[in-house]
Amino acid sequence: MKTVGVAMVEMLEQLETEVVFGIPGAHTIELYRGLAASRIRHITPRHEQGAGFMADGYARVSGKPGVCLLITGPGLTNALTAMAQAMQDSIPMLVITGVNPPESFGHGRGLLHELPDQQGLIRAMTPHTYSLRSAEDLPGALRAAFDVFESDRPGPVHIEIPTDLMSAPMPDYTIPPPSRRTPTADETAVQAAAELIRQAKAPLLLAGGGCNGAGDEVLKFAEQIDAPVISTANARAALGGHRLHVPASASLPAVRDVIASADLVIALGTEMGATDYDAYMDGGFPILQHFIRVDVDAVRFTQVPACDVSLHGHAAQTLAEIRALLPSAMGGTGDARAGALRAAVASVSDSAMAADLAVLKAVTDALPGGIIVGDSTQLVYSGNLFLPMAHSLLGWFNSATGYGTLGYAPPAAVGASLARPDVPVVCLVGDGGLQFSIAELAAAKDAKTPVVFLVWNNAGYREIETYMIDAEIAPIGIDPSCPDLMKIAAAYDMPGSRVEDLETLKATLADVKHASGPILIECVVSQEGF
């Protein structure tokens, strides 16, 4: 007899799921009955939050939704932080959980993993939550989830299956065809945008995470209208080392000056949130002369800055439609403006930031074409402000924007490596952030993922300490002790190296290109720097 739990796994396989992340429990073992006979690979994290972060990293690199199998109650609540990060960054994540039988809801009977209202709790995190009440509900719920991933602004989707239903018989089924349509920009709006672009003398592009997967089309468009492209952290890798790309934050004064001087700004797939556009919280983002916005989320058009033209659609398709209405080459000063801005940002970097960028350059030089997954840590903050890209990267993403979690990078890097095992993956994490998810080093070892865990050990929460001192607050709680990381590496049976200067780091990175499993490198940072 095929049960609902077995059918769920069977349907996931039909929808081309290759990897799932989870910790089995009494409320999900029926799903594992189906896994045993499937081609889907199961990865066991050490904590459900790690499962969510692994799914996030996997989704960003593979382009497929990351799937979690979690127990009722604490399994779900442990993963809420990861779901919130995915919601902020529009990452497709499917979280499948058990739930106690519906007739027990609200009665407080002390059942295992009981929550008063599990779906009500998760509804505050995502509008896309489905509670099955019969076996026949399953195909439609899964199709609804994948419609979100494929058509609209992605994010986490939750499906809960009552424990008694999970083992119930599953009748014959078919998965419904997709029902949601990709938004397409209005033809009149496309023509209006093309007219504004024809009139512009100094256009400028702002590229956000919605440009991932559309990098080639964005760069063709930039070349055609001869405009610099300023990227947010989530668009850096999509645009690489192109001559028109300025991988610098719109929070920096030099970048804001160029934005203010542009007679037309075109925003592509960016929510223009504070962590990208007002990182110093000074409210200094400039008033725009003319503004075109392209986004799959129509809500963005109701937010500031006000649009001259709003285009509801995906970046690649919408830009292709605009390009067809423009001259093949418009000429201008894009090259000169992009080059001057990159130089201006680099020249005003303070000594501490310059040292951070030298470390990042050492990483990208050693592992060109790799993926760098970052935590909320000093190196990553500097790279989000400005990331000189001599080599293109397959990925640069981190948790230091949007929701801003700690402990994200180690499990997310494991997920990224599972998505692209042929590509070097570097996890940038501080000694504080590592201790949020240090146990996931074991998951990396079990999965044989060749992740380089580069730990920036500055003996505490150095960035927070700086904020407190600048605010004339006595630093308290910013110096958590760190275990001996070389002993930790040995305990997890992985190579470990401790380095104290840039040249030693470069030499150490040169030896990790062909690693067959995870490696830990500890960068010991003194008060004077690295």
Side-chain angles (χ1 to χ4, degrees):
M1 180 187 69
K2 183 186 298 181
T3 66
V4 170
V6 170
M8 168 66 88
V9 173
E10 183 179 88
M11 292 181 205
L12 287 174
E13 194 168 20
Q14 291 176 21
L15 291 165
E16 302 181 355
T17 301
E18 297 175 340
V19 181
V20 296
F21 305 91
I23 301 173
H27 285 187
T28 55
I29 57 172
E30 194 61 40
L31 293 171
Y32 284 76
R33 187 193 304 277
L35 272 177
S38 80
R39 295 188 300 273
I40 297 174
R41 183 180 181 184
H42 182 274
I43 301 296
T44 306
R46 298 305 187 264
H47 190 280
E48 287 91 354
Q49 180 173 284
F53 286 150
M54 286 180 191
D56 178 301
Y58 177 86
R60 292 183 197 242
V61 174
S62 70
K64 297 180 178 181
V67 180
C68 300
L69 307 181
L70 307 179
I71 62 167
T72 307
L76 177 62
T77 56
N78 282 344
L80 286 179
T81 295
M83 294 179 71
Q85 183 76 43
M87 176 65 79
Q88 285 277 2
D89 286 350
S90 303
I91 305 304
M93 180 188 295
L94 177 58
V95 177
I96 300 168
T97 72
V99 70
N100 282 306
E103 61 269 19
S104 72
F105 291 178
H107 291 289
R109 296 173 181 167
L111 299 180
L112 180 66
H113 305 326
E114 185 175 56
L115 282 172
D117 183 1
Q118 180 171 285
Q119 195 181 32
L121 173 70
I122 200 65
R123 193 175 285 115
M125 190 65 60
T126 172
H128 307 295
T129 176
Y130 306 95
S131 187
L132 304 190
R133 291 295 180 265
S134 70
E136 288 79 8
D137 291 341
L138 177 56
L142 262 183
R143 169 47 64 196
F146 277 77
D147 282 345
V148 173
F149 303 146
E150 296 165 5
S151 302
D152 205 343
R153 180 181 177 182
V157 177
H158 169 242
I159 297 176
E160 65 178 19
I161 309 174
T163 52
D164 54 345
L165 179 60
M166 205 176 288
S167 57
M170 182 71 197
D172 291 339
Y173 69 88
T174 58
I175 301 176
S179 60
R180 303 187 68 168
R181 299 180 59 188
T182 300
T184 303
D186 177 76
E187 183 178 348
T188 302
V190 171
Q191 292 172 348
E195 181 58 30
L196 274 178
I197 294 167
R198 278 192 291 266
Q199 295 173 6
K201 303 299 183 186
L204 180 74
L205 306 182
L206 301 176
C211 294
N212 287 325
D216 288 346
E217 190 61 42
V218 172
L219 292 173
K220 287 177 184 176
F221 182 77
E223 290 170 353
Q224 186 170 346
I225 70 172
D226 200 15
V229 189
I230 296 168
S231 60
T232 68
N234 284 333
R236 295 277 155 85
L239 304 174
H242 193 276
R243 58 186 172 80
L244 289 170
H245 181 204
V246 183
S249 171
S251 300
L252 296 171
V255 179
R256 286 179 167 181
D257 289 345
V258 171
I259 293 173
S261 66
D263 58 0
L264 175 63
V265 173
I266 306 171
L268 307 171
T270 172
E271 68 178 359
M272 302 187 75
T275 52
D276 284 312
Y277 291 85
D278 195 16
Y280 298 108
M281 295 177 286
D282 59 11
F285 188 77
I287 296 173
L288 306 180
Q289 298 181 40
H290 290 288
F291 185 46
I292 295 172
R293 193 163 195 167
V294 180
D295 210 291
V296 294
D297 187 355
V299 171
R300 301 298 165 205
F301 306 135
T302 66
Q303 299 170 340
V304 294
C307 305
D308 292 274
V309 179
S310 56
L311 298 164
H312 187 206
H314 288 279
Q317 178 183 345
T318 306
L319 292 180
E321 292 172 0
I322 297 173
R323 286 181 61 216
L325 301 178
L326 298 174
S328 58
M330 297 181 63
T333 59
D335 257 349
R337 287 190 292 144
L341 181 52
R342 284 192 298 268
V345 173
S347 67
V348 299
S349 300
D350 61 32
S351 58
M353 181 175 170
D356 294 346
L357 298 184
V359 173
L360 293 174
K361 185 176 185 302
V363 173
T364 58
D365 285 351
L367 302 168
I371 299 168
I372 300 179
V373 184
D375 212 71
S376 291
T377 192
Q378 181 181 331
L379 284 178
V380 175
Y381 299 142
S382 293
N384 282 349
L385 288 174
F386 181 52
L387 184 66
M389 298 181 69
H391 304 281
S392 291
L393 295 172
L394 182 65
W396 166 271
F397 58 87
N398 54 75
S399 60
T401 63
Y403 201 54
T405 53
L406 277 168
Y408 165 87
V414 172
S417 186
L418 288 164
R420 287 297 303 268
D422 57 319
V423 172
V425 176
V426 179
C427 164
L428 296 182
V429 62
D431 56 299
L434 175 67
Q435 292 182 75
F436 275 59
S437 55
I438 196 168
E440 303 306 348
L441 295 177
K445 181 67 178 180
D446 287 353
K448 298 181 174 62
T449 51
V451 176
V452 177
F453 293 95
L454 197 157
V455 184
W456 193 248
N457 187 353
N458 55 16
Y461 302 134
R462 185 77 60 84
E463 289 286 327
I464 302 303
E465 180 181 13
T466 300
Y467 285 140
M468 295 177 87
I469 292 172
D470 289 346
E472 299 182 352
I473 297 171
I476 297 173
I478 46 73
D479 53 356
S481 61
C482 184
D484 186 327
L485 294 182
M486 294 304 96
K487 291 181 179 178
I488 292 292
Y492 285 125
D493 192 24
M494 65 178 63
S497 299
R498 178 176 285 135
V499 300
E500 298 183 5
D501 59 76
L502 182 59
E503 294 309 312
T504 307
L505 174 62
K506 290 179 180 178
T508 303
L509 288 170
D511 293 333
V512 304
K513 292 181 181 178
H514 306 294
S516 58
I519 295 171
L520 191 149
I521 300 174
E522 178 187 12
C523 295
V524 180
V525 186
S526 69
Q527 287 293 333
E528 291 72 36
F530 182 67

